[in-house]
Amino acid sequence: MELLKELERLENTLEEEANEKNEKCKIIDIKYYKHITFDNVKGEEEPLYLIEKEVDGNIIRQLQAGDRVIADILEDNTILLKEEVKDKSTIILMHLNNITPTSLRELQEREELHKLEQKQEPKQKTQNKKENKENSKKQEEQKENNNKNPYSIAEIDLDKPIVGKKSFRDLVPEIKEKEVEKVKVRRTGLGTDNGFEFYGIGKNGEYIKLETLKRTEATNQTKEVNEIKDKGQNSKVEKNGVSAMFKITNGTNEGHGNEGFTIDLSDGTGTPEVAYYRRAKNYGENMKDATRYESIPVSMKDTNQKRTSKEARQHMEKTRNTDISDNVQRSNEILEEQDETTLDNIDDSPYNDNIETMGEYVDSLIEEAAKECKISVKGFKAVMENVKSSNDTIKEQIEKAKDEIYEQMPGRRILG
């Protein structure tokens, strides 16, 4: 394959250049988008690549056009374009958003699988007709699955804890039962088709279908979840539209389908994002159309995805938090007013809320209470300050202020 050879040549060139600079460099992956023109007058085209590498122990991601770096990609996927191409930002982002890149590592894997199939063919010819028929059926199924799409997106880290002390291997017992060595994620469709699948790879490199991870939505639907990110009690919580959801149909959830995994591609770079989710079971009727899912990231191999924090893992653990309905409802209420909040504001402790990260939500509660009491917002805040005690939650502060105002003179308007 010509593209495979070209990407491998680029990998060798980048590593040789690093060696000349005395840098310890390992290329994690190279993804090719397409050729791009920066000068419409000359009309010259350059290939656009996403380079992901480890240099002296640090993960670095860069966009490269031809042999020159044109942008650095930060850990939060912010793209910092170099000065000389800033005027071309629109065309660059258009390519990144609209094209699924071709991965060097996936092309190499397909080549290895192809060679393995060729080696297996002579042995299969010596088997009796019945075995040949059965094997042929299995091979066709494997071949069909292996060639659905040339893009293998990412490999799951099977052993890093996801929820509590449980890893992907623990959450999906099928992994141990079928002696799966690796679990990967890939797209099964192109263009507007958001088809994805999880699949296993066995000891001999063979494809293994994972039957206990069932797709929950049609491939063209986007589901919204409240995703917990970053670290500790200050972990961000924000709404995230995911491309695919898979429920676990046996094992740790006793077949109820209230937990599983989401798959999405991050904006611009095609970087894989997999998350573990739980579904709120007991949910108020007045919130029936709101988001019912909460999720935390799953660690991937060969990416800069960091281990999920202990606090987030414990928050999602069923033995510690049997029903997440209250957490989901709290996050929905806050995220109706602002783009993000933090884990300490949605957990089951009312005494660790961080007013600074509740921002617009707190403002909306105060404005509503002030309107109810026929008082200015400034005046209501002054009453809150006078009546609050150190352990009060924001809602308790508001209720105390309302009681104080009604006690003084119901309906009175206090000007701040």
Side-chain angles (χ1 to χ4, degrees), residues 78-325:
T78 299
I79 300 173
L80 296 181
L81 293 171
K82 301 295 184 184
E83 195 64 38
E84 63 270 20
V85 296
K86 280 187 175 179
D87 61 330
K88 304 294 182 182
S89 60
T90 301
I91 188 172
I92 293 171
L93 293 176
M94 181 184 70
H95 282 72
L96 296 178
N97 288 326
N98 296 335
I99 298 172
T100 303
T102 304
S103 162
L104 166 61
R105 297 299 174 232
E106 171 58 13
L107 292 176
Q108 289 173 330
E109 182 180 310
R110 291 182 67 212
E111 185 73 8
E112 289 175 6
L113 286 173
H114 178 66
K115 290 178 181 178
L116 181 62
E117 288 176 352
Q118 288 181 323
K119 288 180 181 179
Q120 290 174 340
E121 284 180 2
K123 294 180 182 179
Q124 292 166 351
K125 290 180 181 179
T126 63
Q127 296 174 350
N128 60 45
K129 292 182 179 179
K130 182 179 179 180
E131 289 174 335
N132 279 336
K133 186 176 180 179
E134 291 175 351
N135 287 338
S136 175
K137 184 178 180 180
K138 290 179 181 178
Q139 288 167 2
E140 284 302 314
E141 181 179 349
Q142 177 176 327
K143 186 176 180 181
E144 178 184 351
N145 282 295
N146 282 338
N147 293 312
K148 282 181 180 177
N149 192 285
Y151 307 109
S152 177
I153 298 173
E155 181 179 347
I156 305 292
D157 191 319
L158 294 181
D159 298 308
K160 278 190 178 178
I162 296 173
V163 54
K165 295 182 179 179
K166 291 183 179 180
S167 65
F168 195 96
R169 196 189 301 274
D170 300 317
L171 291 167
V172 187
E174 185 179 13
I175 304 300
K176 297 177 182 177
E177 294 166 4
K178 293 184 177 180
E179 297 183 337
V180 174
E181 294 284 308
K182 299 179 181 179
V183 173
K184 293 200 172 187
V185 183
R186 67 176 170 193
R187 293 194 72 165
T188 59
L190 293 171
T192 58
D193 183 4
N194 286 331
F196 292 86
E197 74 163 346
F198 288 96
Y199 67 98
I201 297 176
K203 294 179 180 179
N204 298 316
E206 71 276 18
Y207 170 92
I208 299 176
K209 186 176 182 180
L210 300 181
E211 299 176 311
T212 58
L213 291 176
K214 299 292 186 183
R215 182 73 184 254
T216 63
E217 300 291 337
T219 57
N220 62 348
Q221 290 182 321
T222 298
K223 202 72 175 178
E224 192 172 66
V225 302
N226 295 336
E227 185 169 2
I228 301 168
K229 297 183 177 181
D230 295 339
K231 55 186 178 180
Q233 289 300 114
N234 290 323
S235 294
K236 289 194 300 184
V237 182
E238 58 187 36
K239 289 194 179 296
N240 181 35
V242 298
S243 298
M245 297 186 74
F246 292 78
K247 63 182 177 182
I248 305 171
T249 57
N250 77 344
T252 55
N253 67 346
E254 293 82 38
H256 296 307
N258 289 312
E259 66 176 330
F261 300 94
T262 66
I263 303 175
D264 195 23
L265 294 177
S266 65
D267 294 339
T269 65
T271 304
E273 292 184 348
V274 177
Y276 164 80
Y277 77 80
R278 284 182 62 190
R279 177 178 178 271
K281 293 178 288 184
N282 304 317
Y283 211 57
E285 186 66 22
N286 61 324
M287 299 292 285
K288 64 180 180 179
D289 296 325
T291 302
R292 300 190 66 167
Y293 301 90
E294 197 167 77
S295 72
I296 55 175
V298 171
S299 293
M300 314 297 291
K301 288 205 169 184
D302 294 333
T303 74
N304 63 345
Q305 171 65 57
K306 292 182 171 62
R307 184 189 297 268
T308 306
S309 70
K310 179 181 178 181
E311 288 83 0
R313 297 201 310 271
Q314 290 178 343
H315 173 78
M316 291 291 280
E317 190 176 2
K318 286 184 290 183
T319 56
R320 290 174 176 263
N321 192 1
T322 56
D323 187 356
I324 62 168
S325 297

